[in-house]
Amino acid sequence: MKLTGNGTTPISEGSLPPPEGSKPLSGLLGGIAQAAYYGNADITEELLRGQLYPEAAPEEFRALRAKMGGLLQSIASADMDLNQLDAFLTAQTKKQGGITSDQAAVIAKFWKNHRMKIHESLINQSRWDNLLKNMNWRVDLKSQSRHIDQINTPVAIVEMELGKNGQESEFLCLEFDEAKLSQMLKKLSEIEDSMTLLTQTT
Amino acid sequence: MATVGQFVDIKWKLGVAMSSDTCRSLKYPYVTVTLKVADPSGQITDRSFEMTIPQFKNFFRQFKEMAAVLETV
């Protein structure tokens, strides 16, 4: 069944009527991202169809959603830069049953705006060990002996909140005197040097 | 649940997660740290956790601040 737009050029067979502007497709991509990357389980297919493509038949919408979801997944999985994205989308417009150049433009704009956030979300999905959720500290004066007048040693008391993503936290409270702090700083400095080496080689 | 103790030592590892089941091109650098902690009875336990690079930088900065304060007290 051939569908025509609002009096303009006919669209390829089986596609949905063109929405005014690119808003529905942009909205659809947003909805897909909400469900797939931002953990929003409330964004259902029915909700999206009703809000964005109310005129579309459920099967047609399902196909569109699946196609767009698949494209977004390919783009996100490869964390495509602009060159890769351009090549990828151009290839899609040339495919049988691919996308239109208008749709390619909408997808490109969406990815440019959401790339960082989606990538961060994917990184987060891969972090399943203990994370440092928060850290607080204070410096106390610790009395060494009650037999000798006021020998006070300053110590840093550090409280670290540790836990896995989405799980209850554990609190670790540590005491550091000046020597221990030096030891810690030395090791942290080693890590920093290592990081500099990393950014130079990757 | 809280653990109170004395800091004994720190072990560390810097890694880059290349891919995952949800992302072929992750390229995510991170630091894994294991703190050796002595509890009041003297028993040593390990506590490990992971930090992103920005988190690590903040972690380092805070320890520098602590050292600076300790010197002035």
Side-chain angles (χ1 to χ4, degrees):
Chain A
M1 177 180 73
K2 275 201 158 80
L3 300 168
T4 49
N6 14 15
T8 50
T9 50
I11 298 121
S12 57
E13 191 159 341
S15 67
L16 297 168
E20 27 21 288
S22 56
K23 285 201 187 125
L25 179 56
S26 200
L28 176 60
L29 292 169
I32 291 169
Q34 281 291 328
Y37 308 111
Y38 306 147
N40 195 339
D42 296 332
I43 310 289
T44 61
E45 198 164 284
E46 248 323 289
L47 181 80
L48 289 173
R49 187 177 73 88
Q51 293 219 353
L52 303 166
Y53 293 88
E55 314 285 282
E59 294 75 45
E60 274 190 292
F61 178 73
R62 184 169 304 135
L64 178 69
R65 192 203 186 285
K67 173 151 60 176
M68 292 302 149
L71 290 175
L72 192 55
Q73 192 175 312
S74 294
I75 296 167
S77 190
D79 191 29
M80 289 187 192
D81 61 28
L82 295 183
N83 286 332
Q84 292 169 311
L85 183 69
D86 193 43
F88 177 73
L89 291 176
T90 304
Q92 293 297 319
T93 59
K94 301 203 160 107
K95 263 171 67 170
Q96 181 74 274
I99 58 175
T100 66
S101 48
D102 282 344
Q103 288 175 321
V106 174
I107 295 169
K109 186 174 175 195
F110 181 83
W111 180 244
K112 280 173 202 165
N113 289 332
H114 287 252
R115 179 186 180 184
M116 199 153 84
K117 202 171 165 199
I118 289 178
H119 193 68
E120 260 176 47
S121 164
L122 287 169
I123 285 173
N124 235 27
Q125 284 178 27
S126 77
R127 304 179 79 203
W128 46 67
D129 290 323
N130 262 347
L131 309 175
L132 177 66
K133 294 188 177 177
N134 200 13
M135 185 168 107
N136 293 305
W137 58 272
R138 68 172 197 270
V139 170
D140 278 6
L141 271 183
K142 209 172 161 188
S143 302
Q144 288 293 81
S145 166
R146 57 189 167 94
H147 297 299
I148 302 170
D149 274 344
Q150 301 297 333
I151 294 196
N152 291 324
T153 317
V155 285
I157 314 279
V158 184
E159 183 190 69
M160 295 182 214
E161 184 182 349
L162 307 176
K164 305 191 182 183
N165 253 339
Q167 287 182 22
E168 220 179 281
S169 299
E170 206 193 307
F171 290 86
L172 180 62
C173 196
L174 296 182
E175 206 179 88
F176 294 79
D177 61 21
E178 213 158 345
K180 296 257 165 76
L181 214 51
S182 274
Q183 182 189 349
M184 182 66 148
L185 286 172
K186 183 162 174 280
K187 290 288 182 95
L188 294 180
S189 192
E190 281 173 19
I191 300 176
E192 194 178 52
D193 289 341
S194 220
M195 270 166 34
T196 315
L197 219 67
L198 181 74
T199 53
Q200 282 172 359
T201 54
T202 52
Chain B
M1 189 181 88
T3 310
V4 180
Q6 294 271 335
F7 166 76
V8 174
D9 200 7
I10 169 176
K11 295 193 296 186
W12 61 268
K13 177 170 82 188
L14 173 66
V16 179
M18 297 306 292
S19 314
S20 73
D21 58 320
T22 53
C23 183
R24 216 170 20 88
S25 181
L26 213 51
K27 290 190 266 187
Y28 151 63
Y30 62 95
V31 178
T32 305
V33 150
T34 297
L35 297 178
K36 279 196 160 348
V37 177
D39 71 16
S41 75
Q43 188 171 44
I44 313 258
T45 54
D46 283 352
R47 279 292 192 281
S48 298
F49 56 91
E50 185 186 298
M51 286 182 274
T52 63
I53 301 303
Q55 273 185 319
F56 166 76
K57 291 190 169 163
N58 182 48
F59 187 74
F60 192 9
R61 189 179 49 82
Q62 299 219 52
F63 275 92
K64 286 186 206 171
E65 272 176 42
M66 273 180 243
V69 171
L70 224 68
E71 271 178 44
T72 65
V73 166

